[in-house]
Amino acid sequence: MEPNQGFGGTLWMIFLFALFVSGSGENDMDFKMCGTWRHGSGLLTLAHDLKRGCGTITISANESSLSIRGEITAQCENSSVIKLDPSPEARERPFCVYWEPLLDQLWVEVNGQNHILCWPSGLQGNCCTDLSQGENKGISTYGILNATQRDDIISYKTHPAYEFFGEIINCKNEFCDEASQGSGDKVNMIEETVMRSKVLGNVVLPCALSSVVEMEEGFQGYNITLPAPQGVPPQMIPSVHLPSCLKRPEKKKVKVVCTYFKNSILFQGSSKADQSDIRILEDVVGITVENEIITNLPEPIRIGFHHSAIPTSHSRKCVSWDTKKDPAEVTWKKEGCETIQKGVEDTECHCNHLTYFAILVQLEPRPVRHLVALTVITSMGCAASTLSCVVLIYFLNTQRRAKDQSTAVHRGLAMALFLLSLLFFLTGTVANVGGNKACWVFGAALHYALLSSFSWMFIEVLHTFWLVYMVFSPSPNPNVWHLVGFGLPAVPVIVLLAIGKVYGVIEVVSSEDVNNPYLMCWMDVSPHSVGLLAHYFINLTFLAVVVLSGLIMLFLVLRNIQNRDEWRKNKVAFLSIWGLSCLFGTTWGLGFLDFGQLSEFIPFLFCILNSLQGRSTSVESIKRLIWSHDQRRLSEPTVYCAALKQCPVKVSTAYQEKPPCNRFPVVFTSY
């Protein structure tokens, strides 16, 4: 088949020349040359004469023979003539010559049949590769037609021979460089190549060290000793135990390759290990069985990692490289592996499948110390608060003053705390039983209850300020308080529900047992998530406003009553400050103090005070409302005078000795 002559033919030749130049300029380590052998109708043979060295390789063809001759092998020396099946009718046969210098393997495929001329002989260090084409050997009737090199066109014409020149390079270094290109989808080529090398024992590469074991009949398990890289103490090398169930009974012999990577950079890719709060330890171990995909082993593979000490503030988990996903999206996963911590410097992974394994260190969030104790305390406190809030709501609704503003504010806070305590008490059960679908709704409800509680705490602060410092100004309508307390928190929750993938099951990891995290329904606050952003901009903003306003109001109260006689004589000071702290939510500010040495006892104090907030608020509110009712029976209603710092204009006979302005606590207990 000849290109058209004339101007069009000239353009065609220019195109072929450009294509040839671009193709031949590549420094590909493996060699592949294909074409169509045009031959006669007689006896056909495949002749080869291969010698050690790095010179030229000539691929030629004539009427009866296809031959490969040259000096490109590292270990192989082979010279013979192979008879091919006759084909009286066909005059053309497709063929390809393959050369893998790393394995020192060369084979020829003729008309769909493979003929191995050089078998693999281990992984070669220096090898002959980067084969570049020389001059074409004229044009003839019989020869090689439509020749290509690595699928790039060389010539459409029939030439009797093609000559290629090689160069010596370090094949192992080149191979590791190629394996490290792109994401982790190319890592498995290392084990595949080691498997094809037909070597048993240790195989050393610059980027990995492998150990090849052959499992024979009667295999009872095996402990693999991995080779140690230069400069690494033997006691720091991972240990691997292969269980007996790894070999299927129907197979007589099966090879398994265990590969040790001292540098995990080959596995970064698009994985979560790229995040700043997650780190994969340097050691990675890969295990592969010849021509098999192994999952759900009845007895797990055991891999022991020996590493530098990991602080107790960081959690660690065994993870495996997920090769089932899109190669561009492979990443680490926790499923299928159990983590056994044997000290700060030793971790053992028990995994039921084969792939690549490593230790993932989670820097944030920190594992929670004493998680079981804190969970019990919180559950008991929430249960007590839930019941107390029910009692308080009933008590407020049965009072004669059930419709005044003070009672309405107390009732709103009690309802919000009741919902928060009840949902938090049930969150673990819902997460374990209902999963993500149930937690999508339950987590949103819990988030709403928390924001509503914060809102009503802030309303308590505003209402107290109104009573004390704006005596003669009318208080806002109770509907306004209800709109702020119950309506405002619904806005961010509805927006987050519309965004999606914010609420669901989250894991709270215990530092004592990382394999059994506590499950709860809440926001997904994983790094770079919408939930984490919402947590900082919504939850912490609400909390900061509540704590700051509460502290300011407590300071104003303290400044006004610290010189009163009753403050000095009895426990009014402590009881008043404690009662107001429960109403104002200032105890939630303890969460900002959980750092350093304080982190040993602050979590306990935080859980005790805040889980019991509903109970404390209920007791304090009921006590003060009863006390206020008794005081009002002794005298006529008077105008509060804390802000005026003088006695009211109208004072009953019962208060002539000690006017109401000296009874400052009444201001904070009678509403």
Side-chain angles (χ1 to χ4, degrees):
M1 180 171 55
E2 298 287 341
N4 294 332
Q5 299 300 317
F7 182 71
T10 303
L11 289 179
W12 179 252
M13 293 304 297
I14 292 174
F15 169 75
L16 288 180
F17 176 77
L19 191 62
F20 162 72
V21 171
S22 63
S24 62
E26 296 179 358
N27 291 324
D28 295 310
M29 191 163 65
D30 294 344
F31 173 77
K32 174 186 175 183
M33 188 268 185
C34 296
T36 301
W37 173 21
R38 180 172 289 174
H39 53 76
S41 59
L43 180 65
L44 302 178
T45 60
L46 172 62
H48 59 280
D49 184 12
L50 300 172
K51 298 180 180 179
R52 299 176 184 176
C54 187
T56 63
I57 179 173
T58 302
I59 302 173
S60 60
N62 55 35
E63 183 179 3
S64 60
S65 178
L66 175 67
S67 63
I68 297 97
R69 306 176 187 276
E71 301 173 351
I72 60 170
T73 62
Q75 303 291 333
C76 174
E77 287 193 343
N78 193 4
S79 178
S80 65
V81 176
I82 301 173
K83 292 183 179 181
L84 302 177
D85 295 335
S87 55
E89 298 180 359
R91 295 293 186 270
E92 294 181 353
R93 292 191 180 192
F95 77 95
C96 285
V97 178
Y98 298 93
W99 164 239
E100 291 188 61
L102 179 64
L103 298 174
D104 203 30
Q105 179 177 5
L106 190 148
W107 76 97
V108 180
E109 180 184 351
V110 182
N111 209 27
Q113 291 186 347
N114 287 328
H115 304 274
I116 298 178
L117 308 186
C118 286
W119 290 89
S121 57
L123 300 184
Q124 308 303 315
N126 294 326
C127 58
C128 189
T129 184
D130 289 343
L131 299 180
S132 57
Q133 185 199 349
E135 280 189 44
N136 297 341
K137 302 294 184 179
I139 298 176
S140 63
T141 303
Y142 299 105
I144 300 172
L145 174 69
N146 300 330
T148 63
Q149 182 179 358
R150 297 191 64 87
D151 299 324
D152 292 333
I153 295 294
I154 299 177
S155 175
Y156 285 112
K157 297 181 179 181
T158 303
H159 296 277
Y162 287 90
E163 195 172 54
F164 300 91
F165 300 91
E167 294 182 7
I168 294 180
I169 65 168
N170 190 308
C171 276
K172 290 184 177 180
N173 289 338
E174 188 80 10
F175 177 70
C176 285
D177 290 342
E178 184 180 351
S180 64
Q181 296 298 319
S183 59
D185 58 316
K186 288 190 176 182
V187 175
N188 59 350
M189 67 183 290
I190 294 177
E191 289 183 321
E192 291 175 357
T193 303
V194 171
M195 190 77 73
R196 293 174 52 218
S197 68
K198 307 297 181 181
V199 174
L200 292 179
N202 294 335
V203 178
V204 179
L205 286 168
C207 53
L209 299 102
S210 297
S211 183
V212 184
V213 176
E214 192 169 60
M215 299 184 293
E216 300 179 347
E217 289 185 297
F219 181 73
Q220 297 297 319
Y222 188 77
N223 293 320
I224 294 182
T225 302
L226 294 168
Q230 186 175 2
V232 178
Q235 63 270 21
M236 296 300 293
I237 303 301
S239 59
V240 178
H241 172 75
L242 305 178
S244 58
C245 61
L246 192 60
K247 179 187 175 296
R248 295 183 180 180
E250 63 270 17
K251 293 195 174 183
K252 293 184 178 181
K253 291 184 179 181
V254 181
K255 286 200 299 184
V256 57
V257 176
C258 184
T259 305
Y260 168 46
F261 301 86
K262 183 57 185 171
N263 194 333
S264 62
I265 191 172
L266 295 176
F267 299 87
Q268 300 304 317
S270 59
S271 73
K272 292 183 178 179
D274 293 334
Q275 301 170 3
S276 59
D277 58 342
I278 297 176
R279 182 168 64 93
I280 293 293
L281 298 187
E282 289 298 309
D283 292 354
V284 177
V285 173
I287 306 174
T288 302
V289 172
E290 186 177 17
N291 300 324
E292 289 188 48
I293 297 177
I294 304 295
T295 57
N296 300 320
L297 288 169
E299 182 183 350
I301 300 281
R302 300 201 302 268
I303 307 114
F305 289 96
H306 315 287
H307 44 73
S308 56
I310 297 176
T312 55
S313 60
H314 297 167
S315 66
R316 46 179 153 150
K317 282 193 174 183
C318 296
V319 291
S320 60
W321 191 245
D322 190 358
T323 56
K324 294 182 180 179
K325 292 186 177 182
D326 185 330
E329 299 179 359
V330 285
T331 184
W332 295 103
K333 66 174 185 178
K334 302 174 184 177
E335 294 78 14
C337 287
E338 180 185 1
T339 305
I340 308 296
Q341 296 187 13
K342 294 192 170 182
V344 294
E345 297 182 349
D346 296 282
T347 305
E348 188 168 276
C349 299
H350 293 188
C351 302
N352 63 2
H353 59 288
L354 298 188
T355 180
Y356 303 94
F357 305 97
I359 302 296
L360 182 144
V361 177
Q362 182 92 28
L363 308 183
E364 291 291 344
R366 297 176 303 171
V368 180
R369 301 187 65 185
H370 315 295
L371 179 60
V372 175
L374 294 174
T375 302
V376 172
I377 291 172
T378 303
S379 298
M380 294 176 63
C382 286
S385 291
T386 302
L387 295 176
S388 299
C389 286
V390 172
V391 174
L392 177 59
I393 293 171
Y394 173 79
F395 178 81
L396 293 174
N397 287 331
T398 57
Q399 294 295 300
R400 289 187 305 169
R401 302 168 56 210
K403 294 184 178 181
D404 73 5
Q405 290 205 14
S406 297
T407 304
V409 172
H410 284 324
R411 185 167 48 239
L413 177 60
M415 292 173 64
L417 288 177
F418 165 76
L419 184 61
L420 177 63
S421 300
L422 179 63
L423 294 181
F424 203 91
F425 181 78
L426 297 175
T427 182
T429 303
V430 175
N432 282 281
V433 175
N436 272 312
K437 290 185 178 180
C439 277
W440 180 74
V441 177
F442 198 91
L446 181 59
H447 189 206
Y448 169 78
L450 178 66
L451 297 182
S452 181
S453 299
F454 286 162
S455 298
W456 279 107
M457 294 173 200
F458 181 66
I459 291 172
E460 289 279 6
V461 174
L462 291 180
H463 186 60
T464 302
F465 180 82
W466 208 283
L467 290 175
V468 176
Y469 287 96
M470 303 182 71
V471 179
F472 298 106
S473 299
S475 181
N477 190 294
N479 292 329
V480 176
W481 297 135
H482 285 86
L483 182 63
V484 175
F486 291 125
L488 179 63
V491 175
V493 174
I494 292 174
V495 172
L496 292 176
L497 280 172
I499 293 174
K501 296 184 179 180
V502 175
Y503 301 107
V505 178
I506 69 165
E507 295 181 353
V508 183
V509 180
S510 170
S511 60
E512 289 82 15
D513 186 4
V514 297
N515 291 313
N516 295 299
Y518 175 77
L519 302 182
M520 65 176 293
C521 298
W522 187 235
M523 305 168 64
D524 176 18
V525 290
S526 58
H528 312 294
S529 65
V530 176
L532 182 63
L533 194 65
H535 174 68
Y536 282 117
F537 281 92
I538 298 176
N539 299 351
L540 294 186
T541 299
F542 269 69
L543 178 60
V545 170
V546 168
V547 172
L548 185 60
S549 61
L551 290 174
I552 293 174
M553 197 64 213
L554 286 175
F555 171 76
L556 294 176
V557 171
L558 178 62
R559 190 182 66 175
N560 279 278
I561 67 175
Q562 61 182 346
N563 295 322
R564 302 295 175 91
D565 292 336
E566 291 187 12
W567 175 272
R568 297 174 178 175
K569 291 180 181 180
N570 52 38
K571 298 180 180 179
V572 167
F574 172 77
L575 294 176
S576 297
I577 295 299
W578 169 247
L580 291 173
S581 296
C582 294
L583 293 175
F584 297 164
T586 52
T587 54
W588 287 82
L590 291 171
F592 294 114
L593 302 179
D594 185 17
F595 59 86
Q597 297 298 324
L598 297 176
S599 61
E600 285 296 321
F601 67 92
I602 285 293
F604 286 94
L605 194 60
F606 181 90
C607 289
I608 293 171
L609 295 180
N610 293 319
S611 65
L612 290 171
Q613 184 181 7
R615 181 186 179 281
S616 302
T617 300
S618 301
V619 172
E620 196 67 24
S621 297
I622 293 174
K623 181 182 69 175
R624 289 167 186 254
L625 284 169
I626 294 175
W627 189 83
S628 172
H629 177 69
D630 293 340
Q631 291 296 325
R632 287 177 179 274
R633 286 194 306 169
L634 297 175
S635 64
E636 301 174 9
T638 59
V639 179
Y640 292 113
C641 59
L644 302 178
K645 296 186 180 179
Q646 61 183 4
C647 295
V649 176
K650 182 178 180 180
V651 181
S652 66
T653 306
Y655 277 81
Q656 289 297 330
E657 290 187 11
K658 287 188 177 182
C661 58
N662 286 333
R663 293 180 171 270
F664 188 85
V666 175
V667 175
F668 300 101
T669 59
S670 62
Y671 65 94

